[in-house]
C-alpha cells in the first residue's frame, strides 16, 4: 500500500484538525482537501464560536461548501478529520459525506476535541461510509495546546499501524 494515493479531507476552525492533517501530509505524502464553508456563519470569538458551531452540529446542518477541484476516484485511501462539536462531527463534514458518494475506498478517521472524547462520532461516520473499508480511527485532545510532540508521535505510530 506504500504506492497508493492518499487524501486527507478535513475541516478546521480552531487549528487542531488542520495541524494533524498537515502532519499526516508530511508523514505519508497525502494530498490535502480543506473543506471551507461558503458564507461561514461562525463569526463569533471565544466560547461563542463553539456554542454557535455546536448548535449547527446538533441541528444536522449541511452548509454549502466552497467548490473543490479534487476527484475522489483518484485516491485509494481517504483520511477524514473533524473537530468534535457538541458530540458530533462538524456540519462541513456532514455536507461532504452527504454530497459525495464514496465507495470501495480505504478510510481512516480522526477527530480533535477539547476533552469530551469522540463519543459516537466514528460510529456515525462509519454509518455514512458504508461500502468502504474503515482501516483506523483515532482521536486527539487539543493537540496544539496539550502536547504537540506527543500528538505527532501518537499520529506516526497510528499511521504506521494502518497504512
Amino acid at each position: 500500500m506504500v504506492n497508493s494515493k492518499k487524501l486527507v479531507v478535513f475541516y478546521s476552525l480552531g487549528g487542531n484538525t488542520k495541524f494533524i492533517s498537515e502532519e499526516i501530509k508530511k508523514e505519508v505524502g497525502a494530498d490535502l482537501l480543506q473543506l471551507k464553508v461558503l458564507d461561514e456563519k461562525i463569526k463569533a470569538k471565544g466560547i461563542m464560536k463553539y456554542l454557535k458551531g455546536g448548535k449547527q452540529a446538533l441541528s444536522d446542518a449541511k452548509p454549502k461548501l466552497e467548490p473543490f477541484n479534487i476527484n475522489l476516484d483518484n485516491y485509494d485511501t481517504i483520511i477524514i478529520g473533524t473537530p468534535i462539536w457538541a458530540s458530533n462531527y462538524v456540519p462541513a463534514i456532514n455536507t461532504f459525506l452527504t454530497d459525495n458518494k464514496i465507495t470501495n475506498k480505504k478510510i481512516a478517521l480522526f477527530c480533535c476535541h477539547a476533552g469530551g472524547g469522540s463519543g459516537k462520532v466514528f460510529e456515525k461516520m462509519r454509518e455514512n461510509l458504508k461500502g468502504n473499508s474503515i482501516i483506523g480511527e483515532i482521536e486527539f485532545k487539543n493537540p496544539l495546546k496539550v502536547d504537540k510532540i506527543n500528538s505527532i508521535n501518537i499520529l506516526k505510530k497510528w499511521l504506521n499501524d494502518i497504512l
Side-chain angles (χ1 to χ4, degrees):
M1 183 141 144
V2 173
N3 294 324
S4 70
K5 198 156 182 193
K6 299 166 190 70
L7 174 68
V8 180
V9 177
F10 71 98
Y11 174 85
S12 188
L13 183 64
N16 287 296
T17 309
K18 183 175 183 176
F19 168 71
I20 295 296
S21 297
E22 289 172 344
E23 290 299 320
I24 293 170
K25 177 182 176 166
K26 285 183 207 173
E27 191 65 24
V28 301
D31 293 336
L32 293 180
L33 171 56
Q34 181 172 2
L35 301 175
K36 296 185 183 209
V37 174
L38 286 173
D39 192 30
E40 183 84 73
K41 300 273 189 240
I42 304 171
K43 302 286 187 202
K45 293 184 179 183
I47 190 78
M48 287 307 294
K49 75 179 176 183
Y50 297 107
L51 291 173
K52 284 184 174 188
K55 182 179 177 185
Q56 287 180 12
L58 287 171
S59 71
D60 196 34
K62 293 180 185 83
K64 290 189 183 258
L65 300 177
E66 288 184 11
F68 55 86
N69 198 19
I70 288 181
N71 183 346
L72 300 174
D73 291 334
N74 293 337
Y75 296 90
D76 306 304
T77 303
I78 300 176
I79 303 165
I80 302 173
T82 182
I84 302 295
W85 292 356
S87 300
N88 289 290
Y89 51 84
V90 294
I93 295 292
N94 195 21
T95 301
F96 177 79
L97 293 175
T98 300
D99 290 355
N100 296 280
K101 183 67 176 155
I102 303 170
T103 56
N104 300 315
K105 303 289 182 189
K106 293 176 181 163
I107 304 285
L109 306 170
F110 76 92
C111 67
C112 297
H113 58 80
S118 62
K120 294 188 177 192
V121 166
F122 293 140
E123 181 181 321
K124 292 175 186 176
M125 291 177 87
R126 284 192 307 271
E127 187 67 28
N128 284 311
L129 289 161
K130 285 183 178 176
N132 296 284
S133 174
I134 306 299
I135 58 173
E137 300 167 352
I138 192 167
E139 60 185 88
F140 297 91
K141 181 180 175 185
N142 279 331
L144 287 174
K145 294 180 182 172
V146 176
D147 185 348
K148 282 185 190 179
I149 301 301
N150 189 48
S151 294
I152 291 169
N153 289 334
I154 290 167
L155 175 64
K156 286 180 179 181
K157 181 185 180 322
W158 179 67
L159 292 169
N160 189 54
D161 289 346
I162 65 168
L163 298 179

